[in-house]
Amino acid sequence: MALQRVMRIISYFLLLAFILSGCVVKKDITTVPVVIKPEPVYVKPKVALVLGGGAARGFAHVGVLRALEQEKIPIDMIVGTSVGSLIGAIYASNPNSFELEWTSFELEKDDIFDFSILSSATGPVKGEKIEKFVTKKISAKNIEQLKVPFYAVAADLNTGEPVIFSSGPISKAVRASCSIPGVFTPLSYNNRQLIDGGVLGNIAPEIARQNGANLVIVVSIGKSIQNKDTDTILGITLQAIAIMSNKIDSYKSKEADVLISPEVGDVGTMDFTQKKRCMEAGIAAAQKAMPEIKKRLEAFNTPVNAIAGPVSWVAD
């Protein structure tokens, strides 16, 4: 009897608890998402200056370098073809545009062209003088010792392959890159016959990309191929190469982020009397391109993880 009473009391309590549980008012709990902002990720600009071939018109490169230096545009690497390798190597050894300008004014054809009847079977110019000039003007012996990373573009005469000098003797690299076929005797080096890289195009922006550049400034001095200086074998050879390279460069230039084209098209490829004019044309062309260069550099201040979609640095 007592047990039944205890069970009845427990049942009452359980029923009461059940009823009261239904009367509890549930609070509306709103979940607030926590937004974790990622740390901004910046890509450091790696600026490449690509200097094209074009013989005497290459003095325009000196003006371009002066303008870039005045505006404090960083240069993280230099890629040079033909005369671009000569100017580029000198600047990479001593990044001072005023010193480069003085050296350029001292440079004459006789410092580069050493004609010889004995070597005329493979080219009337031996190429020894240009090596001596480089050795005299650049204190460093090897490319690895240059203050600015440097790449000289040459070509293998037998295979047609590009040969890129990123190490080794500077004089040999420049000599190979400047060895205009039919004019210079090809350079025999490491079991290869090397000639002017201009036969593969006077500009080489692809080499800059391959070596990590994400802002490629190309200086093309072969925009115009009109040339009246074709009354010698040398002039004819240079003009023939210029025509060929011009067609190649029209495609290669699309890989440039910024294309600088000094107005030197009417300067003869062997005319060393137009140095000042070429330099001034280089300064003017670089100054004209300066807003675009600075705009592209400024873009690197935007975090890459704050940009929607892919980012292209290829110029329109």
Side-chain angles (χ1 to χ4, degrees), residues 97-129:
S97 62
F98 290 99
E99 291 292 334
L100 176 64
E101 189 172 318
W102 281 113
T103 300
S104 299
F105 274 121
E106 292 174 354
L107 178 62
E108 297 296 340
K109 282 188 284 188
D110 289 341
D111 294 317
I112 298 176
F113 297 99
D114 45 354
F115 292 93
S116 172
I117 298 175
L118 297 176
S119 63
S120 60
T122 54
V125 178
K126 294 187 294 182
E128 294 175 1
K129 273 193 173 182

Side-chain angles (χ1 to χ4, degrees), residues 2 28 34 38-39 58 74 78-79 122 161 191 202 211 246-247 268:
D28 183 19
V34 178
E39 289 292 323
I78 297 174
V79 178
T122 54
E161 297 173 324
N191 297 317
N202 273 323
N211 287 280
N246 182 264
K247 298 300 179 184

Side-chain angles (χ1 to χ4, degrees), residues 210-231:
Q210 291 168 14
N211 287 280
N214 51 18
L215 178 51
V216 179
I217 302 171
V218 172
V219 185
S220 175
I221 52 176
K223 186 173 71 170
S224 173
I225 56 173
Q226 295 185 18
N227 184 12
K228 301 297 184 181
D229 187 16
T230 54
D231 54 354

Side-chain angles (χ1 to χ4, degrees), residues 96-225:
N96 185 314
S97 62
F98 290 99
E99 291 292 334
L100 176 64
E101 189 172 318
W102 281 113
T103 300
S104 299
F105 274 121
E106 292 174 354
L107 178 62
E108 297 296 340
K109 282 188 284 188
D110 289 341
D111 294 317
I112 298 176
F113 297 99
D114 45 354
F115 292 93
S116 172
I117 298 175
L118 297 176
S119 63
S120 60
T122 54
V125 178
K126 294 187 294 182
E128 294 175 1
K129 273 193 173 182
I130 193 170
E131 285 192 51
K132 290 179 180 178
F133 180 82
V134 171
T135 301
K136 178 181 176 182
K137 296 299 180 180
I138 300 177
S139 58
K141 301 303 177 187
N142 295 314
I143 292 175
E144 304 94 309
Q145 298 170 315
L146 294 174
K147 295 177 182 178
V148 179
F150 172 73
Y151 303 88
V153 183
D156 187 311
L157 177 61
N158 300 116
T159 66
E161 297 173 324
V163 177
I164 313 303
F165 284 84
S166 58
S167 61
I170 302 167
S171 59
K172 295 293 184 185
V174 173
R175 156 79 163 91
S177 186
C178 292
S179 293
I180 305 164
V183 179
F184 280 79
T185 298
L187 174 66
S188 296
Y189 187 74
N190 285 348
N191 297 317
R192 289 178 180 262
Q193 293 292 305
L194 302 179
I195 58 174
D196 193 322
V199 299
L200 301 174
N202 273 323
I203 55 175
E206 73 281 4
I207 303 304
R209 299 283 185 196
Q210 291 168 14
N211 287 280
N214 51 18
L215 178 51
V216 179
I217 302 171
V218 172
V219 185
S220 175
I221 52 176
K223 186 173 71 170
S224 173
I225 56 173

Side-chain angles (χ1 to χ4, degrees), residues 304-311:
V304 293
N305 52 348
I307 302 175
V311 180

